[in-house]
Structures are given as structure tokens and as C-alpha cells.
Amino acid sequence: MRALVFDKKLEVKDVENPVRQKGEALIKVSIAGICNTDHEIIKGYVPGFSGILGHEFLGVVEESDDKDLVGKRVAGEINLACGACEFCRKGLGRHCSNRSVLGIINKNGAFAEYLTLPEPNVFAIPDSIPDTHAIFVEPLAAALEIIEQVNIAPEHKVLLIGDGKLALLIAFVLKTTGCGLTVLGKHREKLDFARDYGMATVLFDDFTPALHDIVIEASGNRSGFMTALDSVKPRGTIVLKSTYAEPFAFNPFQIVVNELTVVGSRCGRFEDAIRFLQSHRLPIDRLISAEFGLDEAEKAFALSARPDTLKVLLKI
Amino acid sequence: MRALVFDKKLEVKDVENPVRQKGEALIKVSIAGICNTDHEIIKGYVPGFSGILGHEFLGVVEESDDKDLVGKRVAGEINLACGACEFCRKGLGRHCSNRSVLGIINKNGAFAEYLTLPEPNVFAIPDSIPDTHAIFVEPLAAALEIIEQVNIAPEHKVLLIGDGKLALLIAFVLKTTGCGLTVLGKHREKLDFARDYGMATVLFDDFTPALHDIVIEASGNRSGFMTALDSVKPRGTIVLKSTYAEPFAFNPFQIVVNELTVVGSRCGRFEDAIRFLQSHRLPIDRLISAEFGLDEAEKAFALSARPDTLKVLLKI
């Protein structure tokens, strides 16, 4: 099959089809999305991965022990848990210490004609959700994880730092809470999108720090992190939603003196994201910048890396 | 009156007595304790303070509008709040944006014969608590703040990093929760104290990282901070109880990926600490390394700076 393989460099080539094991589903991938994590792997910020990239996808199950799955359009939970450790036993397989992660840690990913996943990781997508929207189940689950972890209510003044793909999904999620939301970003056209959707927005250069109850840091850069510290009230909460490419100089002084709570937030639950897509009318189409074929992966990655680009899809 | 004044350097000298304002108590200081924050001010890590140092004290009220206070042995809440701002209105005067802080920010402190404090900051000390123990009300309140902020229960495996004065008070507090506590420190003799009190202890050099539900970082140094990140379970909690002299290189990666919660923790409630001292028999005497007169302040500070020293008191 054709696949986009990363092994120090990116290359589309022919590789052997994956072989389905007992308890797994064999999925024919229809479409997949490029995520910032893919770029970070390519740049070497996420070390140790070589193999087929990609973890946001929609596909159709061709083979499975669970006959109900066969023929279904599905998305897939990316964390492959051992099922036996302390965290798995608590229902926190996403934190399994022995996990592999689709297209990220030790498991071939979705930029390929076929992939395999354990059946519990496979989620049928209802007919009302189009293929291209289903690509957003994984990042939307990550956005929803925030409101699972932190209570966000209409009484809260909330600052969202970042205007990328994930940040905009977070903005949609936050809007449903009724909180007093401001989106702070560096890109006028992305902020315009949030404003069209009825949100207050501020360009970084025009921002005067003001104190918020909750700050969501989704920019992934040091200036965003520092702005979060300066923009939260004493006893307030900062949610860290992005990873950072490199260490930076930092003194936890403000966290201690202002008794802040800093909450790290990563992946969320697929079932919640699917339900959210069914019950909220999100302008997902505007989040898609372009679609390419798998053989145009190089062009797709180059476009996806540009700061004014939102989601780039690969049709497999 | 005699006072220990910091103005780029430390000096015991004669200064004018403070003048009591309406609503304030004039307190004759009996005894005061040297805290790490005093050392940090002297080293210039807490910038901007000049005046009389000291914020842990026991004294006797000589004058007050509230006649019930006159003649009482008292300790004092160190944060002087405006009473009008958003945080004061919520009962969070310790986070008042306009606050001054006794011996730390813009307010003469306790290493002097007299000090003044607003009456709401003044707490009568019950007869059952001796003078030298009352010095520990302020740091004990800070230790108790942890269990006000974070639920710590017998089901939790807890690591306390640090074996200084504050860390040992925290250890006493944590012990009352029934949690599975390990104290990690660099000083054998201080750890022996914790062990004599029935706690599990480990020397830093002998420590093999293991995962804990909750880690309290009270060492105030980078290696303690990094050990906290490496010793907490996914979805676990780190409490930062110390400030850090200088920034250090840091990548929030582990916080995000392991979905950690980091909670800053500073001052606590005096009434809670007084009640705690009344209801628990703490080995406070062993926390006191030495007592000096005010005119021996230089010697007292030199001893207090040594890593094997616990609390040093100044009799005024």
C-alpha cells in the first residue's frame, strides 16, 4: 500500500499492508488530517518516532472480530492502552504507562491506505457527520477535555491564547459554556473567523493585560505562556493545552505567590466529541484550508506549516 | 526603639517608635522568628524592600481601639489588605492587589520593640500555647493552606520534597491526614527528626523516583521542582510551596502530556493554625535551633543561614 513514512525524512512510498491481529479492526483510510504534532515529529521535537505518520482520520472497517463494526465509517482513539495497568483499570487508558500512540509513539499511523486499531479504540461515526467533519473528532475531543477538567461557567471571564486550528475548536467549545470569552491571537484572518462566530477577539499587539478567572494557553510558545501568567487573577486557573518545542527560562514565583492552579490538558474522549458534533452546528468547513492526495503530501505539509493555514486534509 | 533595619545592608539601630493609627493595634514585640523570606530579602531576591524586617512574631497589645485586645498576647496576619478590592470583598485579603506585607512589602516588620497592625490582623493566642510556639502560627498557617487547597486523604501516596523548617511543619500537617507520606530531603539530621515523629524518609541521594498521587515541593530549588515532575502520577497534583531565587530552564511538556495539576500555595489562615496548635501536640521545641537578643541579630542570621539550622528566634 502507499503510505507517508517518516524516517528522519518524509517520503511517500510502497510499504506492506498491516496485518490485523485478534481483537483489532482493519480500517481502510478515506481521509486524514495534518496536525501540529505531525510537524513537531518531523522537526524532531517529538523524538523517537519513525514509521507512518498521522493520527486524525476517517476510514471504513474492512475486517474485525466485532462484526457490527464491519462496513462502518469510523474514527479512532489514538492511545493504545495495555488494559492492565493502574491507569487502565481506572478508565484512564489515555495515561497508560505502556501505551503506544497512533502515528506518534511506536504505532504506524493514518497517512496510509490501511491501518489497524484495537476494536475498543474504534468509534462509528453517525451518518449526520460528513467525512471531512469526522477528521475533527480527535482534536475536538482534546478541546472538550478542558471542560471535563475545569469548571467553566457563565460567571467566568476567560482568555483563550492562540488562534490555530486547535485554539479555534476550543473557542467553539468555550462559547457553549456561556463564559465571557476573549480570543487572543497573532493572525488577523483567524481571529476574524472567531469574530464572525460572535466572539470577542484581540490581536497580540493590541493586548493590554487584564485579569481573567481562567486562561487557556493554546499558542504553544513562550510568549503565550508568559501572557497566561500575567493575565490570570490570584487563585485563578491556567490550562496548558499545547506542548512547547523547547525549554525556556521560567520562575514559578507568580504561581506560588498568586496561588494559581495550572492544569495540563491533552487528549479527550471520542464519544463526547462525536456527541458534540451532532448537537452543535460548528463551522467546520471554514477550518479546512485545503485537500491533497497522499502523493502530494510534501505540498500538503508545506502549506500546512504556513501560519495562515488551518486544517489540511489528505485524501487517501 | 531598637530595630533591625534592612537598607541594602542589615543594621540594628535606634529608630522612631511607630505611631498607631485609628483601627490599629500597637504591639510590643516579645519574640520573633527568622524565616527564609528574610534571607531572600537580604540577598536581594525579593526586591524593593527597605525598612524593619521580620514577620513571624509574638507580642502584647499595648494600645488599641478594640479594648478587648489590650494586654493580650497576640500573633499577626502579615497581609495588610485594602478591604475594598474584588479579592478583599471575597474574603481573600491575602491576595489584595493593593496589599502591603509586614516586613516584606512596604510595611515595617517585627524585628523591633514595637509594631502596628490593623486590628483585624491581630489574633489573640490562647494561654495553652507558649510564646515560642506562637512564633510558628504564621508558617503553620502556610502549611495548613495546602490541605485547604488540595484534598489529601488516607488513600493518597504523598511525597514531600524538602526538610527545612516549613517542610517539617508541612510534614506534621500531612501526617494528620493519614496519607501515605514520604519525606525526601538532603539533610540526614532533619530527616531523622521526621523519622522520630513516625514518618518514612529518604535522602535525595538514595531516592529512586516512584509515582505519587500528590507531590509537595517545599525545597525551593530547581532539582526539587524537577523531581516533583518526575515523581507524580499522570493526572496527579504538584503543590508548589516555595519560591525560587532565580529562573531556570523548563519545558511544561510533562504537565501537558500527563495532565498534571500544579497548585501554587502561599499564606494561610491564622485562626486555623491557632486551632491546630491547640489540638495537636507538635514537637515545636525541636524546631527551634537557638535564641538570640536583637543586638545579636548578625550572629542570629549567620546561624540561621546554615543548612543544618532550623528556626532561630530573636528575643526583643
Side-chain angles (χ1 to χ4, degrees), chain A residues 121-171:
Chain A
N121 286 49
V122 177
F123 291 84
I125 300 295
D127 292 342
S128 61
I129 301 175
D131 284 12
T132 50
H133 291 207
I135 295 298
F136 290 84
V137 167
E138 195 276 332
L140 182 60
L144 286 163
E145 178 79 344
I146 295 172
I147 56 170
E148 192 206 304
Q149 293 176 285
V150 177
N151 172 38
I152 302 183
E155 77 206 68
H156 294 127
K157 207 174 148 188
V158 177
L159 180 68
L160 169 62
I161 303 178
D163 56 13
K165 301 178 278 291
L166 178 60
L168 290 169
L169 284 174
I170 294 169

Side-chain angles (χ1 to χ4, degrees), chain B:
Chain B
M1 65 174 185
R2 297 293 279 171
L4 178 62
V5 177
F6 176 70
D7 186 7
K8 288 175 198 117
K9 60 179 178 41
L10 269 187
E11 191 181 358
V12 180
K13 59 182 180 183
D14 289 314
V15 300
E16 289 202 12
N17 280 22
V19 178
R20 184 179 81 88
Q21 307 295 315
K22 199 174 143 41
E24 286 187 338
L26 177 71
I27 298 166
K28 186 164 188 350
V29 180
S30 313
I31 193 163
I34 298 175
C35 164
N36 281 345
T37 306
D38 300 318
H39 286 286
E40 287 178 6
I41 292 170
I42 295 170
K43 288 184 206 152
Y45 294 153
V46 181
F49 182 75
S50 65
I52 300 170
L53 271 184
H55 58 274
E56 299 171 359
F57 74 94
L58 179 98
V60 175
V61 175
E62 290 207 346
E63 295 172 20
S64 165
D65 293 325
D66 178 353
K67 294 308 161 204
D68 284 348
L69 281 177
V70 177
K72 288 270 170 36
R73 291 160 68 240
V74 296
E77 155 66 47
I78 69 176
N79 295 284
L80 284 73
C82 72
C85 73
E86 174 190 351
F87 302 103
C88 287
R89 288 197 311 268
K90 283 187 195 155
L92 282 174
R94 287 168 278 157
H95 288 289
C96 168
S97 351
N98 312 308
R99 71 183 179 274
S100 49
V101 184
L102 187 72
I104 299 174
I105 302 173
N106 234 355
K107 167 76 184 167
N108 276 328
F111 296 148
E113 290 177 66
Y114 287 94
L115 62 84
T116 58
L117 271 181
E119 287 166 9
N121 285 49
V122 177
F123 291 84
I125 299 295
D127 293 342
S128 62
I129 301 175
D131 284 12
T132 50
H133 291 206
I135 295 298
F136 290 84
V137 168
E138 196 277 332
L140 182 60
L144 287 163
E145 178 78 346
I146 294 172
I147 55 171
E148 192 206 304
Q149 293 176 284
V150 177
N151 173 38
I152 302 183
E155 78 207 64
H156 294 128
K157 206 174 149 188
V158 178
L159 180 69
L160 170 62
I161 304 177
D163 56 13
K165 301 179 279 292
L166 178 60
L168 290 169
L169 284 174
I170 294 169
F172 297 152
V173 166
L174 293 178
K175 193 164 181 285
T176 64
T177 69
C179 71
L181 174 64
T182 304
V183 183
L184 174 64
K186 289 186 173 169
H187 308 95
R188 194 178 297 272
E189 66 289 357
K190 292 180 180 175
L191 290 178
D192 283 349
F193 177 11
R195 204 170 47 227
D196 288 352
Y197 204 67
M199 299 175 207
T201 62
V202 189
L203 267 173
F204 229 92
D205 291 341
D206 302 336
F207 183 61
T208 321
L211 295 186
H212 296 75
D213 300 293
I214 299 164
V215 180
I216 320 284
E217 202 313 89
S219 76
N221 60 54
R222 181 181 185 274
S223 67
F225 184 89
M226 293 302 167
T227 302
L229 286 173
D230 291 338
S231 307
V232 70
K233 287 181 187 173
R235 290 259 180 140
T237 299
I238 295 174
V239 178
L240 297 182
K241 196 64 212 181
S242 299
T243 51
Y244 299 81
E246 285 176 5
F248 50 79
F250 166 65
N251 188 333
F253 183 81
Q254 278 166 293
I255 297 177
V256 176
V257 170
N258 292 332
E259 296 194 321
L260 305 180
T261 296
V262 180
V263 179
S265 180
R266 190 171 46 105
C267 299
R269 284 200 287 250
F270 270 54
E271 45 278 55
D272 294 351
I274 292 168
R275 221 176 298 122
F276 194 89
L277 276 177
Q278 286 185 284
S279 56
H280 292 276
R281 210 184 167 76
L282 302 185
I284 292 284
D285 291 330
R286 273 191 69 180
L287 281 172
I288 301 170
S289 294
E291 282 186 25
F292 291 90
L294 183 57
D295 283 316
E296 302 170 292
E298 200 178 321
K299 229 156 71 180
F301 268 78
L303 177 68
S304 165
R306 282 173 40 180
D308 55 342
T309 306
L310 290 167
K311 186 63 74 187
V312 173
L313 302 180
L314 292 176
K315 295 206 89 163
I316 311 292

